[in-house]
Amino acid sequence: MAFAQSPRFARRLDARLDEAADRLGFLDEATAVQTIDHFALQHRLADGSTVVERFVEQRRPSLPEDERAMLLGWRDVVEGVFEVRSRDRGAVVLHNLLDDLVYRTYSNMGLSAPAKLREGMFVVARIVPVHPGTGAWLISGNLTTYPRGDGPELAQVAAQTLAVNPQLLLRNPEMLRRAWEMQAEARADFVELFGTDLLVLEPREAQIQLREYYRLRQEKALAELDDEAAARARNGGPSLDELSSLPEELLDTETVAVIYDLDEGICYYANFGDLDALFAEPALARDRIHLAQLREYLNDDSVSPMVIRRLVQRHPENADTVFRALLRKPAFTWERDGEELLRRRKKSHYRHKPLPSVTPVGARLAELLRGERRHSR
């Protein structure tokens, strides 16, 4: 901690603390502790390294190999909403509602910190491995506790966190497998309803068709529940209008592509119809507007390489002509040069494996979302 707060990192750490403060500039102790802890273990410096990596490399005399492994293991931070399962010989057993895994956790403050935790309470915390060679975990930074009765509210926070951060599934291979299965099933329903996994429609029509899709999905899910559970699900979930709504920026476009990709899930792209027309009729490559739209797709990091591939797959015989006009490279061929072009223009999409857009929840989180409580044994 002293190394992380030393003058060499002061400017960067101060910037992180300023970002964490509220609009009046106030920073409570818990947020400050969490920010410093994140900065020390996870924040990437200009060269891509972390503060803890710098500490290990610059420590003199050099640390023994076992201690190096211990410190570098602390980069594997688990942030979670935990339910206290039990206390056992100085450790507290925590069940993470996010990844549905159980962690045997200790505190470097001795027995006093876990002593206040009781079975059924909830904890929002960051934990790190005590050492990569053990199955034990260590509380890192601030520990915030909540009574048993706050479970349903914390469950909502956990569910929202999962929806925004599907990478949390990577820690639990079983949940990741379920997510891919759920996405494949949802896509199969889409294809069965529309006969394709790609629709090109006006925005209002797209919302109508999406509403029908989500209505069928909802009916299918409710049919598997008993009457009481189905009633709770109808009243507790998002409405069909909310599910089928498009992002505001798409509503004024001429066409929207609704694509249910096997890897990337359901996604939406503006003015896809114009680009589809360009590839269908390459004479439009003489039109600067059409080329400008394709260039925007190619240069926009938010546009997946999958979308460019889809355009080519729909009109493979015209891809070379279109890209030669766009790039002003008469020798360009999609078969030889296309993938390299995408890798150059879409670098961020190749750094990580795709994750499912459908996120399952564990059994305990599902119980809490329904407002159920676990009975003490």
Side-chain angles (χ1 to χ4, degrees), residues 41-62:
L41 302 182
Q42 295 169 281
H43 175 75
R44 293 288 171 183
L45 301 168
D47 63 355
S49 67
T50 61
V51 173
V52 69
E53 289 168 349
R54 290 269 191 96
F55 177 81
V56 169
E57 291 304 315
Q58 297 175 16
R59 182 72 171 178
R60 295 294 181 271
S62 298

Side-chain angles (χ1 to χ4, degrees), residues 14 34 45 51 68 72 103 111 132 138 164 177 210 214 233 246 255 267 271 300 323:
D14 286 347
Q34 180 172 325
L45 301 168
V51 173
R68 288 173 58 92
L72 294 177
Y103 298 87
L111 300 179
L138 182 70
V164 175
R177 182 190 63 79
L210 283 169
Y214 284 114
L246 293 174
T255 60
C267 42
N271 295 319
D300 187 344
F323 280 103

Side-chain angles (χ1 to χ4, degrees), residues 262-302:
L262 190 60
D263 290 331
E264 301 189 20
I266 195 165
C267 42
Y268 315 107
Y269 288 96
N271 295 319
F272 186 93
D274 290 342
L275 294 178
D276 195 51
L278 169 63
F279 278 81
E281 181 48 69
L284 291 173
R286 292 192 290 268
D287 178 18
R288 292 183 179 180
I289 295 178
H290 281 82
L291 284 183
Q293 289 177 324
L294 179 57
R295 186 175 293 108
E296 184 176 347
Y297 262 49
L298 194 59
N299 294 335
D300 187 344
D301 202 46
S302 68

Side-chain angles (χ1 to χ4, degrees), residues 24-88:
L24 298 178
F26 177 74
L27 190 67
D28 62 84
E29 181 180 1
T31 303
V33 169
Q34 180 172 325
T35 303
I36 296 170
D37 192 66
H38 183 280
F39 179 78
L41 302 182
Q42 295 169 281
H43 175 75
R44 293 288 171 183
L45 301 168
D47 63 355
S49 67
T50 61
V51 173
V52 69
E53 289 168 349
R54 290 269 191 96
F55 177 81
V56 169
E57 291 304 315
Q58 297 175 16
R59 182 72 171 178
R60 295 294 181 271
S62 298
L63 294 169
E65 191 59 37
D66 193 52
E67 291 187 11
R68 288 173 58 92
M70 179 181 69
L71 267 73
L72 294 177
W74 294 349
R75 295 172 298 180
D76 183 22
V77 178
V78 176
E79 297 186 61
V81 179
F82 302 90
E83 184 175 24
V84 179
R85 285 279 185 88
S86 62
R87 286 167 50 202
D88 182 28

Side-chain angles (χ1 to χ4, degrees), residues 326-373:
L326 176 72
L327 303 172
R328 298 180 181 178
K329 293 183 177 181
F332 180 94
T333 67
W334 178 262
E335 183 177 0
R336 183 190 64 212
D337 307 316
E339 192 60 29
E340 178 59 29
L341 173 66
L342 293 179
R343 287 185 176 276
R344 283 201 317 271
R345 301 294 182 92
K346 307 285 186 183
K347 292 179 181 178
S348 65
H349 291 271
Y350 289 89
R351 291 177 188 147
H352 309 286
K353 292 182 178 180
L355 289 169
S357 60
V358 177
T359 307
V361 298
R364 180 54 182 151
L365 178 53
E367 290 176 359
L368 290 166
L369 290 170
R370 293 193 296 265
E372 300 176 14
R373 296 184 181 181

